[in-house]
Amino acid sequence: MEIKKTALNLLHKKYGAKFVPFAGYEMPIQYSSGILEEHKTTREKAGIFDVSHMGQLFIKGNKSLVDDLERIFPTNLKDIQVNQSKYSFLMNEEAGIHDDLIITKVKNGFNIILNAACKNSDFKIINKLLGSKYEMNLSNDLSLIAIQGPEAVKILDKIVNGVSSLNFMSGNWFNYLEETIYITRSGYTG
């Protein structure tokens, strides 16, 4: 099986990353400063993480999509607004948890962030449960960057004006370097 590389792979190499295979990707595990220093910096200030190996599933649909997704995920999707996210679960037949995920309501449907190691099996399960009623795309060509730590919002707001206006579990479109990017304030890693 061929090991995939994220769009930021060469940048990681430029800064001396040590790589390991994870979920079919060559992913950076640490840089020259070491894991302890990286952990300390992230906890005290902020750290940037390339999580482009995670699944980004886009499902387009109308009101019936909400009903169908509520049969799959144990969460109320009828009351959320566009660009609002919810943390939820993909359940198995015994009402156990197959995987966790973040689901975001967007203009024409929902975007779902799936864990990297499970994204292909999660997609198969969701596709089977929804059938061919909706247009679904598990993207393999988008980057996903996480900025985490107590100063993350302040740092990012200096680069992308307006980010500080986002509430937890919400997102929006922003302009950055003549590109339109989607930013969400949805991290829950400690």
Side-chain angles (χ1 to χ4, degrees):
M1 182 171 147
E2 180 184 336
I3 296 285
K4 299 175 188 170
K5 297 177 182 174
T6 71
L8 300 177
N9 185 273
L10 293 178
L11 185 65
H12 295 304
K13 287 182 179 177
K14 177 181 175 181
Y15 288 99
K18 177 183 175 186
F19 291 92
V20 296
F22 180 75
Y25 285 81
E26 181 179 70
M27 296 302 296
I29 189 70
Q30 73 179 61
Y31 292 87
S32 59
S33 62
I35 292 174
L36 292 178
E37 186 60 34
E38 293 171 27
H39 171 82
K40 183 180 170 186
T41 299
T42 300
R43 287 292 184 187
E44 292 175 0
K45 295 177 184 170
I48 300 173
F49 301 86
D50 181 1
V51 290
S52 302
H53 59 307
M54 295 183 72
Q56 296 186 60
L57 175 60
F58 302 90
I59 306 175
K60 291 184 179 179
N62 53 26
K63 285 187 176 183
S64 66
L65 175 58
V66 172
D67 294 330
D68 288 341
L69 289 177
E70 284 185 346
R71 287 184 189 87
I72 298 172
F73 309 125
T75 192
N76 179 352
L77 298 173
K78 289 180 180 76
D79 296 334
I80 67 172
Q81 302 297 313
V82 171
N83 295 324
Q84 186 179 1
S85 302
K86 285 204 171 188
Y87 176 67
S88 193
F89 306 96
L90 177 58
M91 308 300 288
N92 64 26
E93 292 80 22
E94 293 81 33
I97 298 172
H98 177 72
D99 200 6
D100 65 338
L101 51 88
I102 294 180
I103 183 167
T104 303
K105 185 175 184 176
V106 294
K107 186 178 178 183
N108 296 317
F110 289 87
N111 295 350
I112 304 172
I113 302 298
L114 304 169
N115 288 303
C118 305
K119 68 182 179 184
N120 292 322
S121 62
D122 289 354
F123 176 69
K124 288 177 186 174
I125 292 167
I126 294 168
N127 194 33
K128 180 181 176 186
L129 293 170
L130 292 178
S132 58
K133 289 174 67 175
Y134 307 102
E135 181 183 334
M136 295 177 44
N137 176 33
L138 181 60
S139 179
N140 290 313
D141 59 354
L142 294 174
S143 293
L144 186 60
I145 309 302
I147 303 173
Q148 299 176 356
E151 294 186 19
V153 173
K154 182 173 78 172
I155 292 167
L156 187 56
D157 199 53
K158 289 179 183 177
I159 300 166
V160 182
N161 188 32
V163 171
S164 61
S165 67
L166 292 174
N167 295 319
F168 182 62
M169 296 305 271
S170 70
N172 212 336
W173 292 97
F174 294 86
N175 292 316
Y176 175 71
L177 298 178
E178 299 181 23
E179 295 289 333
T180 303
I181 59 173
Y182 192 79
I183 298 176
T184 180
R185 194 168 182 181
S186 60
Y188 58 92
T189 309

